[in-house]
C-alpha cells in the first residue's frame, strides 16, 4: 500500500483524516520527531485548534526547519485547516507567534457583527477557470474556523498561487491555495464527504499537482461567484441508550420520555446506531450527532460503548460527528479520577469531531455567575476548547418553558409568547435542566448561553423539552431569544415533524443549523426530502454526492 506521512505534533482530533486516507487505499505513517520528516515522500500537516498553540508546538519540537526543507526539496506537502494557516506569515489569533512565512499575509478574525462566528458548515472552494486538486464549483466543503485569510483579487495570484475561495456573509476568504508541490485547504477535506475524498486523492496520487492551473470551465471571476456560499445545515441526531435487554439502541422520546406508552413501558427501539448513521450520511445529512442519553454509568470509561460506535461510524461516514452525554469529570469503576478532557480525548481519538456537553455546562455556568463572571480555566468547556479549539465544543441545552403572568414576576430573561400558558400567562422564560430534564435549575437559557460562550463553547445545540418528539415544529421563540444573546452558531433542535419545519426555522429565525431525530428514525421524511424542500424554497443546501 502506498504511504503518506502525517505529522503528529499536537493533540488533535485527526482520526477522521486517517480514516479518509485509508479509505483511499493509502497507509498512514506517523512522523513523531523532526528527524523522521526526511523519510516522508508526501507529508500532511493537519491542524486543529489554536494557531499560536499549534505553531508554538511545532517550533518548540524543532519541526519548522524540517517542514521548510521538505517543501524546498519540492516534495508533496498538504496543510489542512491550521495546516493552511501555518503557511502564512502570522495570524491575529496570536500575533506573537510567527507562521512559516511560505505565503505572504496574515489571518484575521471573521467579523461577527452580522453573522455567527466561528464559521461552521459547508461552503464553496471556487476557482477561476483553473483546475485545482479536483475541487469542483458545485461541490461544498466543510469549514470550521474563526480566523481567515481575506481574499484580495490578484494578490496571492501575483505570487504564483492558485486560489480557491469561499464567501461568508460579505467576506470572501481563502478556501484553498496551491503552488508547485504545495496544497493547503482551510476546509476539512476528510469531513467533506465524497468531494473531500476526491481532493485528498488528487493530492495523494499526484494528479492534483500535475493538472494545477489547467484551464477549466469554472467561474469567470471570483467576483461573479455566488455570494455567501454557506449552506443551511441539516443534522441527524441519534439518542442512544441500552434497552432493558442490554442492547445498545437508537431511541427517541416525547418530552424526553423514551419508554413506550403501552403497558410494557419498554425503551423504544428504533434501530442500530452505526447502521442508522451510515444511512443518514448517504441521505445527505451534513452532520451526525450521537447523544448517549444514559451515560452508561456502570461501565469502565475505556469500554464506553459510544467509543466503538464512533470508531465504526467514522470509517464510513465522512461528515462531522458529534458525541454527547457524560462528558464531565468523573470517577472510573476502579476509583481512578478521569477528567472531562480525558473523556473528550478518548472520543476524539475514536473519530468524534466535536463533543457536546449538557449537565456539566449548566453547573459550570452557575459557578461562573457565583464567582462574579470570572473564569479560572478549570471547567470542562475551557479545558477542552483550549486543547482542541472552540469549534470542537458544543453545549447541548435542555430548556423548558416556565410561564409567568407579568414582566416583573421573575428575575429571568423572559419573552412575550404567542402561545400563552395554561392559565393564559402571556410571558415565559426557559429554565435550564440537567440530567436529561430530570432536574430544573434556577438559570435561564440566555444566562447559560452567554456563560458558555464566555467559557469558549463554539456552538449551541438548542433542544426544547416542551417540543421534543412533538412533530409540531421548532420553538421559534426560543431560537430567536438565544440567537439574539450570542454570536456563536445555534443549532435548532426538538419538534421537527416535516420538511416545512426546517424551512420555518431558517426563514423565520437566524438559526445556523437545524436538527431532526424522530421524523427521520420513523421514516416520515428523509434527510434528502428535507434538503430538496429547502432547495425548492430557495435556501442553499449541500447536494449529496454519491
Ligand atoms: O448531560 O452532558 O450527560 O448529556 C446528556 C445528553 O443527552 C444531553 O445532550 C441531553 O440533551 C440528552 N438527553 C438526555 N436525556 C434525554 C432523553 O431524551 N431522555 N435526549 C436526552 C435529548 C433531545 C434531542 C432530540 C431532539 C430532536 N434528546 O437531541 O434529538 O429533541 O427530537 P425530535 O426531532 O424527535 O423532536 P450530559
Amino acid at each position: 500500500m502506498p504511504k503518506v506521512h502525517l505529522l503528529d505534533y499536537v493533540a488533535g482530533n485527526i482520526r477522521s483524516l486517517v480514516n479518509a486516507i485509508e479509505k483511499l487505499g493509502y497507509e498512514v505513517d506517523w512522523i513523531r520527531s523532526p528527524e523522521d520528516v526526511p523519510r516522508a515522500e508526501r507529508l500532511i500537516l493537519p491542524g486543529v485548534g489554536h494557531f499560536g498553540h499549534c505553531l508554538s508546538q511545532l517550533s518548540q519540537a524543532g519541526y519548522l526547519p524540517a517542514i521548510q526543507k521538505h517543501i524546498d526539496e519540492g516534495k508533496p506537502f498538504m496543510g489542512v485547516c491550521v495546516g493552511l494557516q501555518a503557511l502564512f506569515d502570522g495570524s491575529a489569533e496570536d500575533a506573537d507567534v510567527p507562521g512559516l512565512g511560505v505565503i505572504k499575509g496574515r489571518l484575521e478574525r471573521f467579523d461577527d457583527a452580522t453573522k455567527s462566528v466561528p464559521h461552521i458548515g459547508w461552503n464553496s472552494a471556487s476557482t477561476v477557470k483553473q483546475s485545482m486538486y479536483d475541487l469542483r464549483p458545485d461541490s461544498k466543503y466543510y469549514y470550521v474556523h474563526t480566523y481567515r485569510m481575506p481574499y484580495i483579487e490578484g494578490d496571492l495570484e501575483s505570487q504564483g498561487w492558485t486560489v480557491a475561495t469561499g464567501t461568508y456573509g460579505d467576506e470572501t476568504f481563502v478556501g484553498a491555495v496551491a503552488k508547485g508541490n504545495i496544497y493547503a485547504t482551510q476546509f476539512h477535506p476528510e469531513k467533506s464527504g465524497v468531494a473531500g475524498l476526491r481532493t485528498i486523492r488528487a493530492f495523494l496520487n499526484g494528479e492534483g499537482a500535475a493538472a494545477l492551473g489547467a484551464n477549466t470551465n469554472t467561474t469567470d471571476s471570483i467576483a461573479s461567484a455566488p455570494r455567501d456560499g454557506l449552506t443551511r445545515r441539516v443534522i441527524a441526531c441519534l439518542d442512544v441508550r441500552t434497552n432493558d435487554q442490554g442492547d445498545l439502541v437508537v431511541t427517541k422520546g416525547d418530552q424526553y420520555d423514551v419508554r413506550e406508552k403501552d403497558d410494557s413501558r419498554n425503551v423504544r427501539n428504533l434501530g442500530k446506531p452505526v447502521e442508522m448513521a451510515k444511512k443518514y450520511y448517504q441521505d445527505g445529512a451534513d452532520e451526525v450527532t450521537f447523544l448517549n442519553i444514559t451515560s452508561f454509568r456502570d461501565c469502565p470509561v475505556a469500554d464506553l460503548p459510544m467509543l466503538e460506535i464512533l470508531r465504526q461510524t467514522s470509517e464510513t461516514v465522512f461528515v462531522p460527528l458529534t458525541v454527547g452525554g457524560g462528558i464531565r469529570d468523573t470517577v472510573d469503576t476502579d476509583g481512578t479520577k478521569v477528567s472531562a478532557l480525558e473523556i473528550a480525548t478518548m472520543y476524539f481519538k475514536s473519530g468524534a469531531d466535536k463533543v457536546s456537553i449538557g449537565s456539566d455546562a449548566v453547573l459550570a455556568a452557575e459557578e461562573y455567575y457565583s464567582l462574579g463572571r470570572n473564569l479560572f480555566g478549570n471547567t470542562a468547556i475551557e479545558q477542552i476548547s483550549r486543547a482542541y479549539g472552540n469549534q470542537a465544543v458544543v453545549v447541548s441545552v435542555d430548556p423548558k418553558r416556565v410561564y409567568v403572568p407579568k414582566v416583573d414576576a421573575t428575575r429571568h430573561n423572559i419573552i412575550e409568547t404567542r402561545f400563552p400558558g395554561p392559565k393564559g400567562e402571556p410571558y415565559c422564560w426557559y429554565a435550564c435542566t440537567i440530567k436529561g430534564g430530570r432536574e430544573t435549575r434556577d438559570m435561564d437559557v440566555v444566562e447559560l448561553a452567554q456563560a458558555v460562550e464566555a467559557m469558549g463553547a463554539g456552538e449551541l445545540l438548542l433542544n426544547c423539552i416542551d417540543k421534543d418528539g412533538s412533530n409540531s415544529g421548532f420553538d421559534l421563540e426560543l431560537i430567536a431569544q438565544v440567537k439574539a444573546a450570542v454570536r456563536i452558531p445555534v443549532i435548532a433542535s426538538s419538534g421537527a415533524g416535516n420538511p416545512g419545519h426546517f424551512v420555518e426555522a431558517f426563514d423565520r429565525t437566524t438559526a445556523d443549523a437545524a436538527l431532526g431525530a424522530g421524523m427521520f428514525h420513523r421514516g416520515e421524511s428523509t434527510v434528502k426530502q428535507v434538503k430538496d424542500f429547502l432547495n425548492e424554497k430557495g435556501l442553499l443546501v449541500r447536494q449529496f454526492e454519491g
Side-chain angles (χ1 to χ4, degrees):
M1 233 192 265
K3 269 191 189 164
V4 54
H5 287 81
L6 261 184
L7 216 138
D8 181 21
Y9 65 104
V10 64
N13 40 347
I14 55 172
R15 178 80 232 157
S16 331
L17 187 54
V18 175
N19 286 336
I21 292 167
E22 289 177 351
K23 167 97 180 166
L24 293 167
Y26 288 75
E27 188 186 334
V28 169
D29 199 353
W30 293 98
I31 298 286
R32 297 212 157 93
S33 81
E35 293 72 46
D36 290 343
V37 176
R39 68 182 164 81
E41 185 47 39
R42 308 170 192 84
L43 179 64
I44 299 185
L45 176 63
V48 283
H50 189 268
F51 177 87
H53 182 64
C54 286
L55 268 292
S56 309
Q57 297 264 335
L58 283 170
S59 165
Q60 280 159 21
Y63 276 117
L64 296 181
I67 295 173
Q68 188 69 59
K69 188 160 181 280
H70 177 96
I71 291 175
D72 292 346
E73 284 171 357
K75 292 182 180 173
F77 173 88
M78 181 170 183
V80 174
C81 193
V82 180
L84 168 140
Q85 301 184 354
L87 293 174
F88 287 88
D89 293 324
S91 168
E93 189 170 16
D94 193 335
D96 298 331
V97 179
L100 277 160
V102 172
I103 316 176
K104 287 196 178 40
R106 301 184 74 79
L107 289 109
E108 291 164 14
R109 196 175 195 277
F110 274 116
D111 179 8
D112 65 6
T114 54
K115 57 188 184 297
S116 305
V117 175
H119 166 234
I120 299 183
W122 298 78
N123 205 321
S124 308
S126 313
T127 57
V128 183
K129 288 192 175 261
Q130 278 185 322
S131 156
M132 185 172 183
Y133 286 83
D134 219 352
L135 297 178
R136 301 200 184 159
D138 297 332
S139 295
K140 293 286 179 182
Y141 303 88
Y142 187 77
Y143 290 86
V144 45
H145 58 133
T146 298
Y147 291 80
R148 88 287 185 252
M149 186 62 209
Y151 176 73
I152 301 163
E153 200 151 359
D155 185 25
L156 293 176
E157 291 87 341
S158 69
Q159 301 171 46
W161 294 94
T162 302
V163 187
T165 61
T167 301
Y168 182 35
D170 58 3
E171 298 185 83
T172 298
F173 60 88
V174 174
V177 283
K179 177 161 87 172
N181 55 321
I182 305 171
Y183 178 44
T185 63
Q186 178 60 70
F187 59 84
H188 284 272
E190 75 280 14
K191 292 278 98 185
S192 300
V194 167
L197 293 177
R198 211 164 42 216
T199 198
I200 299 176
R201 183 189 288 117
F203 169 74
L204 294 176
N205 66 17
E207 286 173 12
L212 182 66
N215 252 350
T216 63
N217 290 328
T218 56
T219 324
D220 279 338
S221 86
I222 282 168
S224 67
R227 304 303 291 163
D228 199 355
L230 185 65
T231 67
R232 309 304 177 130
R233 257 185 299 158
V234 176
I235 300 175
C237 180
L238 301 115
D239 288 358
V240 179
R241 62 160 287 168
T242 34
N243 63 11
D244 300 319
Q245 289 71 48
D247 299 322
L248 209 56
V249 297
V250 172
T251 189
K252 186 67 215 61
D254 308 318
Q255 301 189 314
Y256 288 30
D257 178 5
V258 297
R259 291 189 177 271
E260 300 285 6
K261 298 281 181 262
D262 60 23
D263 290 346
S264 74
R265 294 293 287 149
N266 285 333
V267 171
R268 283 186 192 140
N269 179 350
L270 295 168
K272 295 184 178 169
V274 178
E275 278 175 19
M276 289 177 75
K278 191 171 174 188
K279 175 181 175 316
Y280 295 146
Y281 167 64
Q282 288 167 346
D283 275 355
D286 295 314
E287 292 183 28
V288 175
T289 295
F290 292 106
L291 295 176
N292 164 5
I293 68 167
T294 43
S295 302
F296 308 102
R297 294 172 196 95
D298 301 325
C299 156
V301 169
D303 296 336
L304 284 174
M306 220 55 153
L307 294 170
E308 191 49 33
I309 289 180
L310 282 166
R311 276 183 212 115
Q312 290 183 25
T313 305
S314 63
E315 282 171 14
T316 51
V317 173
F318 296 100
V319 295
L321 302 176
T322 302
V323 63
I327 296 171
R328 65 179 81 98
D329 295 344
T330 188
V331 177
D332 210 346
T333 41
D334 65 357
T336 321
K337 285 187 178 164
V338 188
S339 71
L341 176 60
E342 287 169 307
I343 294 177
T345 298
M346 290 165 72
Y347 281 136
F348 289 135
K349 285 194 169 154
S350 305
D353 302 285
K354 313 186 209 182
V355 292
S356 155
I357 303 178
S359 306
D360 191 67
V362 180
L363 304 178
E366 287 176 357
E367 195 170 296
Y368 168 74
Y369 288 112
S370 73
L371 297 174
R373 301 181 187 231
N374 284 312
L375 292 170
F376 298 95
N378 56 343
T379 61
I381 298 174
E382 289 164 277
Q383 290 182 20
I384 301 169
S385 62
R386 205 166 39 239
Y388 292 95
N390 299 22
Q391 77 292 334
V393 184
V394 180
V395 166
S396 165
V397 193
D398 300 317
K400 64 178 175 200
R401 283 183 168 221
V402 180
Y403 289 97
V404 287
K406 41 189 182 52
V407 178
D408 56 0
T410 172
R411 69 167 188 86
H412 288 291
N413 290 289
I414 58 161
I415 56 160
E416 188 170 1
T417 175
R418 288 175 50 233
F419 309 97
K423 294 184 192 143
E425 299 95 326
Y427 301 100
C428 76
W429 61 281
Y430 292 90
C432 294
T433 66
I434 59 173
K435 302 179 184 163
R438 286 183 199 88
E439 204 178 307
T440 305
R441 312 292 292 192
D442 186 27
M443 167 163 299
D444 65 60
V445 72
V446 170
E447 292 173 307
L448 177 73
Q450 292 178 336
V452 299
E453 181 175 48
M455 286 174 210
E459 202 173 21
L460 294 176
L461 166 49
L462 186 56
N463 303 301
C464 177
I465 296 183
D466 311 273
K467 284 286 193 171
D468 175 59
S470 68
N471 272 20
S472 64
F474 298 99
D475 188 330
L476 304 179
E477 295 177 333
L478 167 66
I479 301 164
Q481 189 188 30
V482 173
K483 277 294 299 181
V486 291
R487 290 277 174 258
I488 54 178
V490 173
I491 303 165
S493 167
S494 301
N498 61 54
H501 291 147
F502 286 80
V503 172
E504 248 173 38
F506 290 126
D507 264 354
R508 294 176 45 194
T509 78
T510 52
D512 299 274
L515 171 153
M519 63 179 268
F520 297 140
H521 307 336
R522 294 185 296 267
E524 291 156 8
S525 301
T526 63
V527 175
K528 183 170 185 318
Q529 284 167 334
V530 169
K531 293 181 85 171
D532 287 348
F533 194 60
L534 288 169
N535 189 36
E536 229 173 82
K537 297 288 167 195
L539 294 157
L540 190 62
V541 290
R542 173 184 71 108
Q543 301 296 344
F544 179 69
E545 298 182 53

